[in-house]
Amino acid sequence: IKAILVSGSKGWENYRHQAGVLNMYQMLHYGNVPDSNIVMMHYDDIARNPMNPFPGKVFAKKFGPDVYDGAWTDYRGESVTSQNFFAALTGEKEKIIA
């Protein structure tokens, strides 16, 4: 299995988008898919957002586990671009702008 997980949304109001890809990462990771087979792209701006009542934590469901804990992120912030997404999708590492 190989996976590219992307949340192109940013900001507190889009919490659920990033929580969703973090949750999917955890499912793959704990399903024994190696991190080398998972490309993770998300803005990574909610765990430490001032509005987060649980600093450094992200939850995909109420009373669920912290899906941010241990999640590996390959591309975050301004590196989450359509160019980097398509380069990762096609395996053209030389076109990735970090």
Side-chain angles (χ1 to χ4, degrees):
I1 294 174
K2 293 190 180 192
I4 300 177
L5 306 176
V6 182
S7 173
S9 302
K10 61 181 174 179
W12 185 251
E13 64 278 3
N14 292 310
Y15 182 104
R16 69 192 181 285
H17 301 160
Q18 291 185 57
V21 295
L22 287 163
N23 189 52
M24 182 56 67
Y25 167 84
Q26 296 294 353
M27 291 172 59
L28 291 168
H29 180 77
Y30 287 104
N32 294 319
V33 176
D35 285 346
S36 60
N37 287 8
I38 304 169
V39 176
M40 178 70 154
M41 303 175 82
H42 69 112
Y43 271 89
D44 196 11
D45 64 347
I46 58 174
R48 290 178 178 63
N49 188 294
M51 295 182 71
N52 190 344
F54 305 99
K57 297 179 185 269
V58 176
F59 302 94
K61 62 181 180 178
K62 193 173 185 177
F63 306 117
D66 174 13
V67 293
Y68 191 73
D69 185 37
W72 175 259
T73 300
D74 296 287
Y75 303 97
R76 62 174 40 96
E78 299 305 313
S79 294
V80 179
T81 65
S82 58
Q83 179 177 344
N84 283 348
F85 170 74
F86 285 114
L89 188 64
T90 59
E92 298 176 278
K93 294 180 181 180
E94 68 281 356
K95 292 186 178 180
I96 293 175
I97 301 169

